[in-house]
């Protein structure tokens, strides 16, 4: 049986088990979660997270060195960030439209009198940009600061490219390290069905059907917007710009999407998503190694959809109308914040608090959605990493066509 089928079966069994545990007495779920689901899920997460920092560092060094031309690297960087910003703005627009169409908060009877949410303040955008350059690269790696790791790796890669034969043994060492890491990724992926089952069963059992029922329309609005964005925005970009088949893309990339669904972490899924893009989608390693790690940090289409739907939902619950200027401000703020808050823990809710403040909505409303946010986070993470891979695929295919036609 293929890995894709195993993971799909695990997802289905995880959902069934999670729903079953939500009906069981709380003691039953506590015991199952404490001694089975949580340990298995955490072991799988730890196995993947163990590889994230080394594979990002090694891959970006090889990617930057493989491009050999810093100008070319800069062009790919501009194309990547442009793609991420444009698709995030489109995702926000779809989310807002879906929220107004379904009105998830208009007919609900929500208790807003005792809602509390402790708002976190993100660092200023300029501080985030300055901190991209690490004072101590080793400390950045030990703390998992992705932007700083990416920046340092790019510098090392450029140096290897410029120095050429002088550092060919170091370059060869990075190639061999990459082979070791890919072997370990393949090894860890054999445990993916078990990890996916445990994580999903735990999340569903913990949320309970009561929370799902009261927030059903909000969840439907978010899920439909996520599906629309993936089915239309990415598919049109893959077909129109990348000249590829969207169906083939999604079929080959599904294992990475399922891992993202179960882990709810773009960074944790990165080793798997890069492997799928390079081996199954034919994305060049030099492109994949740069575009996907950067996307795991700053590309937040799924998160943007959640913010858009949540903003309109909260405005409806509190009966505060949003004007056209407010809606445009939501799109602008959330799009720019996707880069400005990169690397901030709990970035989705931090960005949502920023958006709500910008349009004068109470941040206490965030407490209404926290109960189901973990489940929706699974779906939006799948969309986020799909956008990363779509961008890498499109840029890689464009580079191949340019070389074939001889254009610059």
């Amino acid at each position: 049986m293929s890995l894709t089928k195993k993971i799909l079966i695990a997802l289905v069994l995880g959902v069934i088990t999670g729903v079953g545990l939500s009906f069981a007495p709380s003691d039953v779920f506590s015991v199952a979660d404490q001694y089975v689901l949580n340990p298995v899920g955490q072991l799988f997460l730890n196995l993947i997270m163990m590889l994230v920092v080394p594979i990002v560092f090694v891959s970006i060094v090889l990617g930057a060195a493989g491009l050999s031309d810093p100008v070319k690297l800069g062009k790919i960087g501009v194309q990547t960030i442009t793609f991420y910003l444009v698709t995030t703005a489109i995702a926000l627009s779809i989310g807002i439209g879906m929220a107004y169409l379904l009105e998830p908060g208009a007919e609900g009877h929500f208790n807003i009198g005792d809602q509390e949410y402790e708002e976190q303040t993100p660092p200023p955008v300029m501080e985030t940009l300055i901190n991209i350059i690490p004072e101590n690269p080793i400390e950045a790696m030990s703390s998992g600061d992705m932007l700083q790791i990416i920046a340092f790796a790019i510098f090392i890669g450029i140096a290897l490219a410029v120095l050429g034969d002088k550092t060919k043994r170091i370059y060869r060492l990075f190639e061999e390290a990459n082979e070791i890491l890919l072997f370990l990724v393949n090894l860890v992926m054999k445990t993916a069905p078990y990890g996916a089952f445990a994580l999903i069963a735990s999340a569903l059992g913990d949320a309970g059907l009561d929370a799902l029922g009261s927030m059903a329309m909000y969840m439907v609005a978010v899920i439909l917007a996520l599906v629309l964005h993936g089915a239309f925005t990415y598919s049109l970009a893959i077909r129109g710009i990348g000249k590829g088949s969207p169906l083939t893309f999604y079929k080959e990339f599904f294992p990475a999407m399922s891992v993202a669904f179960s882990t709810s972490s773009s960074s944790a899924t990165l080793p798997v998503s890069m492997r799928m893009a390079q081996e199954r989608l034919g994305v060049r390693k030099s492109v994949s190694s740069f575009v996907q790690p950067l996307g795991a940090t700053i590309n937040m289409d799924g998160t943007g959809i959640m913010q858009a739907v949540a903003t309109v939902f909260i405005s409806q619950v509190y009966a505060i109308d949003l004007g056209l200027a407010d809606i445009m401000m939501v799109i602008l703020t959330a799009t720019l914040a996707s880069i400005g808050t990169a690397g901030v823990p709990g970035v989705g809710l931090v960005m949502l608090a920023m958006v709500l403040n910008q349009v004068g909505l109470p941040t206490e409303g965030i407490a209404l959605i926290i109960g189901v946010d973990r489940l929706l986070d699974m779906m939006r993470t799948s969309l986020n990493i799909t956008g990363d891979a779509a961008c890498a695929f499109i840029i890689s295919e464009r580079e191949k066509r340019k070389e074939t036609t001889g254009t610059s």
Side-chain angles (χ1 to χ4, degrees), residues 339-383:
I339 291 180
T341 57
V344 177
V347 65
L349 295 179
V350 173
M351 288 171 63
L352 178 56
M354 290 175 60
V355 172
L356 294 177
N357 280 326
Q358 196 68 35
V359 294
L361 292 174
T363 55
E364 292 79 10
I366 295 177
L368 293 170
I369 68 170
I370 286 179
V372 296
D373 189 66
R374 171 69 175 85
L375 299 178
L376 293 175
D377 192 20
M378 300 161 84
M379 291 198 67
R380 64 178 186 252
T381 302
S382 293
L383 187 75

Side-chain angles (χ1 to χ4, degrees), residues 204-222:
L204 281 173
D206 185 48
L209 293 184
D210 291 339
L212 301 184
S214 63
M215 297 293 290
M217 192 53 70
Y218 167 75
M219 295 181 68
V220 168
V222 174

Side-chain angles (χ1 to χ4, degrees), residues 14 26 33 52 55-56 68 96 133 207 210-211 227 261 292 330:
S26 58
D33 192 49
V52 170
I55 205 167
V56 167
S68 69
I96 289 172
I133 307 300
D210 291 339
V227 171
F261 184 82
Q292 289 181 271
V330 168

Side-chain angles (χ1 to χ4, degrees), residues 182 186 252 274-283 285:
L182 288 178
N186 290 331
E252 298 298 334
M274 289 175 62
R275 178 197 159 206
M276 294 296 111
Q278 293 171 14
E279 295 183 5
R280 295 195 175 193
L281 298 176
V283 177
K285 288 185 178 180

Side-chain angles (χ1 to χ4, degrees), residues 170-185:
I170 298 295
Y171 182 80
R172 179 61 184 163
L173 179 65
F174 274 100
E175 286 186 321
E176 292 171 351
N178 190 55
E179 291 297 323
I180 293 172
L181 291 169
L182 288 178
F183 172 80
L184 292 177
V185 170

